[in-house]
């Protein structure tokens, strides 16, 4: 069964319209929506999509079809905020490409401030003036608290969602 997947990489939710029945879905930032479908023997696949700034329209007149939305984790959204909104995308540390994900502990508690300092270390920007670093720590700590919902989390909560719609076996 074919699966068509769309990902919302914008800062706003997108509207997804599945035609010809007019089914509507909301696709939040970083979410992926998939349509799995199958046509009867001999039927022609005439699916098409129309992607715009505010929405996606997907035409699929297959008799058998299903939709699945895969949502991002809070950590996915935090990483997106850090890079896209704040410019902390990682850097070179001792000549090696480094991202904050590379510096996180596997277990234990990670505070917003510890996370912020690790993000700055991943940028290899530890030589900046203390007042600038303090401003960055405050900015990154605020983003951490907003996205993770607390001033600290267990390290195990700092995971990304790489799942795609219909990763599991087809139903039925």
């Amino acid at each position: 069964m074919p699966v068509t997947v769309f990902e919302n990489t914008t800062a706003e939710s997108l509207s997804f319209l599945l035609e010809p029945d007019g089914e509507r879905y909301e696709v939040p930032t970083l979410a992926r929506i998939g349509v799995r479908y199958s046509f009867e023997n001999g039927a022609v696949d005439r699916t098409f999509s129309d992607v715009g700034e505010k929405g996606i329209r997907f035409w699929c007149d297959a008799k058998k079809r299903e939709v699945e939305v895969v949502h991002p984790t809070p950590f996915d959204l935090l990483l997106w905020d850090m890079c896209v909104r704040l410019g902390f995308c990682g850097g070179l540390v001792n000549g090696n490409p480094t991202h904050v994900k590379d510096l996180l502990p596997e277990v234990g508690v990670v505070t917003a401030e510890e996370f912020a300092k690790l993000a700055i270390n991943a940028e290899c920007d530890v030589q900046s003036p203390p007042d600038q670093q303090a401003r960055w720590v405050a900015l990154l700590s605020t983003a951490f608290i907003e996205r993770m919902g607390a001033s600290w989390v267990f390290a195990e909560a700092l995971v990304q969602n790489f799942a795609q719609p219909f990763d599991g076996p087809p139903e039925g």
Side-chain angles (χ1 to χ4, degrees):
M1 293 176 76
V3 176
T4 300
V5 177
F6 300 92
E7 181 174 12
N8 180 5
T9 58
T10 69
E12 303 292 326
S13 290
L14 292 177
S15 173
F16 183 87
L17 179 62
L18 181 56
E19 296 283 15
D21 299 332
E23 296 173 46
R24 290 190 181 277
Y25 300 86
E26 180 183 334
V27 186
T29 299
L30 298 186
R32 291 175 287 283
I33 187 166
V35 180
R36 179 165 58 187
Y37 55 93
S38 67
F39 289 95
E40 296 175 4
N41 286 338
V44 178
D45 181 344
R46 295 186 191 272
T47 58
F48 71 88
S49 59
D50 178 23
V51 179
E53 277 187 43
K54 302 280 185 191
I56 300 166
R57 186 170 61 107
F58 185 67
W59 176 274
C60 178
D61 61 350
K63 299 281 186 239
K64 185 176 181 183
R65 65 184 190 193
E66 53 192 316
V67 175
E68 181 174 74
V69 178
V70 176
H71 294 274
T73 66
F75 187 59
D76 290 325
L77 295 169
L78 173 60
L79 294 177
W80 189 86
D81 279 348
M82 284 176 49
C83 184
V84 175
R85 195 168 55 88
L86 302 176
F88 287 86
C89 304
L92 290 175
V93 177
N94 298 323
N96 297 314
T98 305
H99 190 272
V100 67
K101 297 179 297 187
D102 302 321
L103 305 177
L104 293 172
E106 291 183 24
V107 296
V109 169
V110 177
T111 67
E113 186 174 334
E114 289 168 332
F115 181 84
K117 289 178 180 176
L118 290 173
I120 293 167
N121 288 344
E123 296 287 319
C124 196
D125 227 337
V126 294
Q127 305 302 330
S128 296
D131 63 325
Q132 191 170 27
Q133 280 209 22
R135 194 171 56 241
W136 290 340
V137 167
L139 200 64
L140 290 164
S141 294
T142 298
F144 181 96
I145 293 166
E146 285 174 4
R147 289 302 189 178
M148 300 307 294
S151 61
W152 65 270
V153 296
F154 290 109
E156 295 84 357
L158 301 174
V159 294
Q160 291 180 271
N161 184 0
F162 294 110
Q164 293 294 319
F166 308 106
D167 269 352
E171 294 178 11

